[in-house]
Amino acid sequence: MISPTTILSLFALLPGGSELPRHVELANKYLAVRFEDGGEGLRLAVVEDRARGEAYRFERSEEIAILMLASSSIHDPDVAMRYAFQDDFELQAVDVASDRAGLVLRFRHPMLDVQVAYALDPNVPELRKTTTCTARDRGAYVAAVTHWMFKLDGPERSWPWKATMGQPAVFLRPRGGCFVTLEWPRARVVSVDGDLRVAYRPGYALAPGQTQEIAAGTIGFFGTTDGPEEERIDDVRQAFFRHVRRRVKPQVPFPVKFTTWGPWLGQARADRILEVLDDLEYIGTDLFHFDAGWQYPDHAYSKRLPQVRDADDETWDRMMTEPGRLPDGLLPIAREANRRGIRVSLWFDACGNVFVREGDDWAIRDREGKPVVSRMWEQRWPEAPRQSLASEYGDRVEEFVLQMLDRYDLGGVMFDNHHYTPDYSTEHACLANGFDSEDVQLRRILGIFDEADRRRPGIYRFYCLNASWPWALLHATHIHAGDPGTSSSMRLANQTDHPARAMAFERRLAWQRHYDRFVPPWGIKGDVAGWSVQQKSPIPINLAHTGLLIPTGEGWTQNLFTCFATTAVRDVRFSFAQMPRFDREILREWLAWDRTRSRFIFHCRPVLQAGDDPNRGIDGYSHVGDGRGVIYLFNRSFEPVEADLMLDERAGLRPEDQELSAYLVYPMRCRLPEGAISHGRTLRLPLLGKDCAVVEVGLEPPGDAEPYDEYVELIGKVRRSYDTLFLATPEALFDAAERGPVRVEIGPSPRDHRLAAQVLETIGASAGRRLTVDECASVAPGDAACRLIVGSMEGLAEHGEIGDRFRRMLYNVYVAWDDRLYSAPLVARLDGDGPPTYCLIAPRPEQLARLSIDLTARLLAGAKTLVEPESPEPVWQEHSFELDVPPGSPALRFNPVVRQFGHVALPGDLAMIRFQIEAEQSGERTVIWSEEIPPFAAPGRGPVPTSFGGMQWWRDRLISIADLASKRVQLHLSASPTDARRHPQLEIGYDRFAVVAVP
């Protein structure tokens, strides 16, 4: 143990000593640190964690490891590279702070003077190290630095188990441990011959006399609780998160940001944006973020920027924005947003090859000197060169971003598409062998972020890369968690649930991946979405068609609370024109609630984890600390379950936390049974199926609290299902329709009308005749063999018999039936006199669409394929063929298709698409099926429904052709816009066609 007396005596020798000391000791109440010269120079030797009595002894350590070159040699691809280590430098001086809390080692080399400084933090057990270089007479190029290079005497590294980038190295001891950091996003953590090495490749070109801090990092010490190693690693995460918070100093709540990409992808246009600005103001949006597509795409930096850099704002706006999406420029939108108290945030393409293109002059080069190219998303051009930020392109991008910042008074900046592949150019500001080019390019982007923050302190900065790099948060508000809606976990969950709720599951897994890799929760992107293209909900190309599509948002509140539970980032992504007013009010209420609760995110840690099954288990997150906070519990199952949460330190409670007030605030407000929770007890709480519970701890009681027993009673009544619940069998429904005329009752909703037509097609196929809405709606009650009531709350809320069965409660919409509350599509028989009455109903239109799909699937389950032509490639737009219709009651099985290629904004005046099937006999054609479908955004060529192409609200369509049985006919399929204007980016037609025999 290092004694204070020894430290004092050693320190007293230093000022008057003419020789460099052989050892130096630093100390405060947390740590005691010893540097020793064992014949190889003064080096870090021992750090004692005084609180835990653990001494960390360094078998070997290196204070300096720098790869430096002559500035003139960086363009030589064959330049010899060798690290300079401590032995290559002369130690000139050792300066010790008067309070023994800091030490500076001053080294000299013919090319560089290097200052290595250590400092003890006065408030926490941390030892910080910085390395600063000053170029000597001829300048120098610092290609790489290994900031930490040592071997500890003791256990092997606990994290990471293999080499990694950006995360801390962790060493565990019986009662605690230490983490080792280098404050650079892509810092490399590796082991070489048992040594830990933490390094990066900054590529600093230093002019003579120029000084630059080239590296900074910390060894932090912590205690852990007893338990398995994974629990102890989580203690490390929490200690590291506190360290990052002290370094970054994030200010919450973060602004509420609306992003154009999620709801609209490439279909963001001025008219669509202006349509939603009032909604954004209503819900409390701070930032309007225009994602990809706003910028003039063709050689904007090389050709246009020089023309307008000194122009007035109006000229700049016309020249630098994309006229297809913004015919009047961006300024009118910015002014309208500002008038509502909303600032504009903008997307920028980091490597200039995804939505914008430049030529080869500034391109990243491969080993052969050829430009590196990749495909473009919009497909305006098939591919474009990746631009190197180590070239003049980096200067132009910075100029452009900063001009946009000033001209539009931006509130946010986002950089996307960080394609920092190795650059072997012999003309760029990085080594021509590609060694440091990725870090050099990243450093340029982070420098632009830093300059934006300098000019607009606190500006929102989104580093859009799905890499677990916690130190990106020194430069950006948050990092990416991957595009919501495109991951494998999202595809899995989509098979059994609505996409908005599936997204909640996917976002929790995406968050967990970053959390496990030491990214603080508050710095991980969170998304709140529904009625959004990225979550497989169709949006109209022509805004006049908005009410004619079947969008989907069911379950969106679960990704809202997932966002609250896991991060401080509030990225709102709704196609508000399709979002019911009821849901907008919910969003507004809870975003306001969150502004006063997001401060608890700094206590966030997962307390229950359920694995990879989207339909089983409970996820839990505690934001409790210092006796206050919020607990979030998510039930993945469709069935109600009871959560059991141990209220210990892992849940954020301390032993002194006794009788803390506890109220349930979602899905209803009520006081928990005992009115309080305490450390050491278990919180037991029933959860609705596919829903969550939000519990406030130690906070003010909510108003209008209900009795807890009412919550428990509702838990027993609610039943949630993605699939249709058949309280009456499909067979009974089909049999009733077969007996004679069918009467249908539908409300005024165009969406319900469209879906009822699909339902009647299937029922008609079972009955051996084609049924239409117009025909069935005209059947008098007294003439009907059966009666169908078809629709959602949107259309049937005023229906005389079942309108009062629709309920808005528990922040969702339900159907009350037989003393239960159903959040599901429902087929049920209504009691009463007269012909049998069947209700085919659902709370929301998207659930009614599911009913139509399920009903068709049930009928097809027993069907036999009789005739099936070879499938088209990719679709039939116009097709005719002869068919000998089999006898019996055959039906046509087919699938109309609407798909979009790329992300080019389609014209906003596209007409409806008429799909039609005609049967021709003896030269006469008869229309046997026809439907007009609005053109909608549905990017992707993938199979229905697993890709973006699965946004259509139907699967197989089924119509009877029993009237054509045993006849030879010509069938004619067609799909065409009603005004005959086809668009090359929109694929329409049929990709499946067969004749089947239905049971």
Side-chain angles (χ1 to χ4, degrees), residues 167 463-470 472 479-482 513-514 517 519:
Q167 298 144 39
Y463 182 71
C464 188
L465 183 68
N466 184 22
S468 298
W469 295 347
I479 64 172
H480 201 20
R513 185 181 69 83
H514 276 319
R517 291 165 173 78
V519 181

Side-chain angles (χ1 to χ4, degrees), residues 301-513:
Y301 303 116
S302 58
K303 296 181 179 179
R304 293 213 162 194
L305 180 60
Q307 298 177 43
V308 297
R309 56 168 45 108
D310 298 320
D312 60 76
D313 290 348
E314 300 290 341
T315 302
W316 171 284
D317 196 48
R318 288 193 303 272
M319 290 284 286
M320 302 307 286
T321 58
E322 203 279 308
R325 292 186 174 90
L326 300 169
D328 298 318
L330 181 60
L331 279 175
I333 290 174
R335 289 166 183 151
E336 284 298 311
N338 294 163
R339 191 168 63 82
R340 293 166 173 82
I342 301 169
R343 296 178 72 185
V344 172
S345 171
L346 291 176
W347 172 100
F348 296 93
D349 188 351
C351 287
N353 69 311
V354 176
F355 271 79
V356 299
R357 73 166 180 173
E358 288 287 343
D360 295 347
D361 291 351
W362 304 328
I364 293 173
R365 303 281 171 167
D366 63 18
R367 291 181 184 274
E368 297 177 355
K370 299 176 181 178
V372 175
V373 298
S374 56
R375 68 178 183 87
M376 300 190 72
W377 283 17
E378 281 192 312
Q379 298 183 3
R380 292 176 186 270
W381 306 281
E383 61 186 20
R386 293 184 180 181
Q387 302 298 305
S388 174
L389 287 150
S391 71
E392 186 180 345
Y393 170 77
D395 300 330
R396 298 290 182 98
V397 168
E398 180 168 9
E399 179 185 356
F400 179 67
V401 171
L402 297 179
Q403 285 240 31
M404 293 298 297
L405 182 75
D406 292 337
R407 290 177 183 271
Y408 297 85
D409 190 25
L410 296 184
V413 172
M414 168 188 172
F415 275 111
D416 196 0
N417 304 315
H418 301 271
H419 301 151
Y420 308 137
T421 49
D423 184 3
Y424 298 95
S425 170
T426 58
E427 299 177 354
H428 295 167
C430 56
L431 292 179
N433 60 13
F435 175 79
D436 62 352
S437 57
E438 292 168 87
D439 276 4
V440 170
Q441 293 181 79
L442 173 59
R443 185 162 58 79
R444 191 59 188 269
I445 285 293
L446 299 184
I448 298 173
F449 274 143
D450 293 345
E451 178 60 19
D453 188 54
R454 188 190 69 79
R455 296 189 182 196
R456 299 282 194 285
I459 189 173
Y460 189 94
R461 292 151 294 151
F462 176 17
Y463 182 71
C464 188
L465 183 68
N466 184 22
S468 298
W469 295 347
W471 290 113
L473 301 177
L474 277 174
H475 311 273
T477 308
H478 63 85
I479 64 172
H480 201 20
D483 282 335
T486 61
S487 67
S488 58
S489 56
M490 180 74 175
R491 291 194 293 271
L492 175 66
N494 260 341
Q495 296 173 15
T496 55
D497 205 352
H498 294 280
R501 192 160 47 229
M503 175 185 160
F505 162 77
E506 185 271 346
R507 289 289 82 183
R508 293 196 292 271
L509 291 191
W511 175 89
Q512 188 69 48
R513 185 181 69 83

Side-chain angles (χ1 to χ4, degrees), residues 201 376 470 538 573 608 715 799 938 978:
R201 303 169 181 180
M376 300 190 72
R573 296 163 168 243
L608 296 171
I715 293 288
H799 191 278
T978 56

Side-chain angles (χ1 to χ4, degrees), residues 65-256:
I66 297 175
L67 175 59
M68 53 185 169
L69 304 165
S71 299
S72 60
S73 65
I74 69 169
H75 299 309
D76 179 1
D78 300 317
V79 63
M81 300 199 302
R82 175 187 174 275
Y83 273 86
F85 296 101
Q86 188 165 344
D87 289 346
D88 298 309
F89 288 78
E90 177 188 357
L91 180 60
Q92 297 270 299
V94 178
D95 301 332
V96 181
S98 59
D99 60 358
R100 297 168 296 155
L103 165 74
V104 178
L105 305 174
R106 302 185 185 276
F107 296 92
R108 171 153 288 191
H109 183 277
M111 294 178 66
L112 287 175
D113 289 336
V114 178
Q115 174 180 298
V116 177
Y118 284 91
L120 292 171
D121 192 298
N123 302 308
V124 289
E126 292 180 359
L127 176 65
R128 181 169 174 79
K129 176 185 178 183
T130 58
T131 301
T132 302
C133 293
T134 301
R136 302 197 69 191
D137 296 343
R138 296 184 179 180
Y141 186 84
V142 179
V145 56
T146 301
H147 193 56
W148 299 105
M149 184 173 174
F150 60 72
K151 177 175 176 55
L152 276 176
D153 178 17
E156 294 296 316
R157 190 172 73 240
S158 300
W159 176 272
W161 297 285
K162 297 180 180 180
T164 189
M165 278 189 180
Q167 298 144 39
V170 175
F171 297 86
L172 283 178
R173 293 289 178 90
R175 299 178 58 194
C178 69
F179 59 75
V180 182
T181 76
L182 169 56
E183 293 174 4
W184 176 250
R186 297 183 76 252
R188 294 162 171 81
V189 180
V190 298
S191 291
V192 179
D193 298 329
D195 287 358
L196 171 72
R197 299 190 181 185
V198 186
Y200 83 119
R201 303 169 181 180
Y204 282 113
L206 302 181
Q210 182 180 350
T211 297
Q212 177 70 50
E213 181 182 281
I214 63 167
T218 298
I219 303 180
F221 298 83
F222 52 84
T224 63
T225 56
D226 294 334
E229 181 167 309
E230 178 47 43
E231 290 187 3
R232 301 182 69 223
I233 288 288
D234 201 46
D235 291 334
V236 184
R237 291 188 188 99
Q238 294 297 315
F240 178 71
F241 295 160
R242 292 190 291 272
H243 169 70
V244 175
R245 182 186 177 189
R246 287 190 294 271
R247 296 289 303 137
V248 174
K249 298 178 176 59
Q251 300 297 311
V252 297
F254 292 156
V256 174

